[in-house]
Amino acid sequence: PDGRIRPRDIKYGKILDLGEEETFKFICIADPHFGAKYENLEYLERVYEYARNNGINYIVVLGDLIEGNCFDYSRCLPQYKSINSQVEHVLSDYCYDSNIKNIILLGNHDFSAYTKEGIDISGQLSTRKDFSIIGYREAYIKIRDEYITLKHDVYKIVSWISNPGTKRNLIGHSHQYRVMYNDDSIMMKVPTLSDVYAGEEYVINKGFVVCEVKFDDFGMYYIDTEYIDLERDETIKFKRTF
């Protein structure tokens, strides 16, 4: 944004290979915005409580883990008006359970640390043994020979286009829950895990999504999701077979 050119050392499109599992069950969250005035760590505690009670060992995080410097720290709590303080906040205050692994894609607020201050937060975050940082903007989870696409764009371009090569597309950034699908794929926008507010005219959904994906010798054949709405104490279920 200031006209300087930075080297291309930020990694996109990383593939996390989870092997030959027949079933992959996980919770998907997005946009917790650690350090922002509208963060709500109680929501994350409820995610972990659900995971423990239901034997879920993976949480997929779809970007904007920290508030970053998108708005020159104007939307941050006073004690978190630096990138390092926000990262330390995550390392110290993000819930921990030795049985739960967090697969973390980083988004535009996380990327603002790099574009504005030259700080790539992925290295610092990787010091937590329960965090698997898989890069910025877009990455993939591979199971057998199938891929699940994770998205959270870091630029002001359309980020809700599905990847034609994958059946399952999970997208952060919009702060909304939406499901769109056709004969070949499913695209799901994942709601925010914060109390962000954008005005009366903008719909915000607060909650998380529980996902189960099943595989056989022919690939991904079954998807089951349940959206847990933390504001209205209700759920929305979606199932699909291929």
Side-chain angles (χ1 to χ4, degrees):
D2 59 6
R4 289 177 294 169
I5 298 174
R6 298 192 183 280
R8 275 299 286 275
D9 54 359
I10 293 295
K11 301 294 188 283
Y12 302 135
K14 183 174 179 179
I15 298 171
L16 178 65
D17 193 336
L18 294 184
E20 300 294 316
E21 298 290 338
E22 293 184 356
T23 299
F24 178 43
K25 190 168 185 178
F26 60 99
I27 292 175
C28 198
I29 68 173
D31 302 270
H33 290 275
F34 268 69
K37 296 174 183 177
Y38 47 84
E39 71 170 23
N40 190 327
L41 301 191
E42 181 185 343
Y43 292 160
L44 185 61
E45 292 171 2
R46 292 173 67 178
V47 169
Y48 264 72
E49 180 182 18
Y50 187 100
R52 293 187 188 104
N53 291 341
N54 292 275
I56 297 174
N57 302 117
Y58 287 99
I59 296 173
V60 174
V61 185
L62 293 175
D64 288 356
L65 183 59
I66 64 171
E67 173 62 15
N69 189 15
C70 284
F71 300 94
D72 296 323
Y73 300 113
S74 64
R75 303 201 305 188
C76 295
L77 293 165
Q79 64 270 38
Y80 299 124
K81 292 199 172 186
S82 73
I83 298 301
N84 287 333
S85 64
Q86 292 177 29
V87 172
E88 285 300 320
H89 182 26
V90 173
L91 294 175
S92 300
D93 300 322
Y94 193 100
C95 298
Y96 176 77
D97 186 305
S98 60
N99 295 314
I100 296 175
K101 183 79 169 180
N102 288 269
I103 300 170
I104 301 174
L105 176 73
L106 299 171
N108 61 303
H109 279 256
D110 309 304
F111 195 59
S112 70
Y114 184 76
T115 57
K116 292 196 171 187
E117 301 184 32
I119 301 172
D120 178 4
I121 67 173
S122 61
Q124 294 169 270
L125 293 172
S126 295
T127 60
R128 266 191 58 152
K129 62 182 181 181
D130 58 326
F131 285 3
S132 179
I133 310 300
I134 54 176
Y136 293 83
R137 190 173 71 178
E138 181 173 302
Y140 307 89
I141 295 172
K142 181 183 178 185
I143 300 174
R144 299 195 175 196
D145 289 323
E146 294 272 9
Y147 294 85
I148 299 171
T149 301
L150 313 179
K151 286 176 175 282
H152 189 129
D153 229 312
V154 299
Y155 300 114
K156 293 183 180 297
I157 61 175
V158 175
S159 63
W160 46 261
I161 299 175
S162 70
N163 188 323
T166 58
K167 293 178 181 176
R168 192 79 168 91
N169 299 268
L170 299 169
I171 303 169
H173 186 68
S174 71
H175 302 157
Q176 298 175 346
Y177 173 72
R178 296 286 186 275
V179 179
M180 294 149 280
Y181 61 94
N182 56 31
D183 292 340
D184 302 315
S185 66
I186 298 170
M187 182 170 60
M188 180 176 290
K189 294 184 178 182
V190 176
T192 182
L193 205 68
S194 76
D195 286 323
V196 63
Y197 177 75
E200 294 291 339
E201 72 283 357
Y202 191 74
V203 175
I204 299 289
N205 302 125
K206 303 171 186 177
F208 60 96
V209 180
V210 183
C211 303
E212 185 175 20
V213 184
K214 294 185 178 181
F215 304 84
D216 61 16
D217 292 339
F218 300 99
M220 186 187 303
Y221 73 90
Y222 176 78
I223 293 172
D224 186 346
T225 67
E226 184 174 11
Y227 164 47
I228 311 294
D229 190 319
L230 293 176
E231 277 193 302
R232 298 171 180 83
D233 195 26
E234 63 183 18
T235 63
I236 300 174
K237 295 184 178 182
F238 176 86
K239 295 183 180 182
R240 185 76 189 277
T241 57
F242 293 96

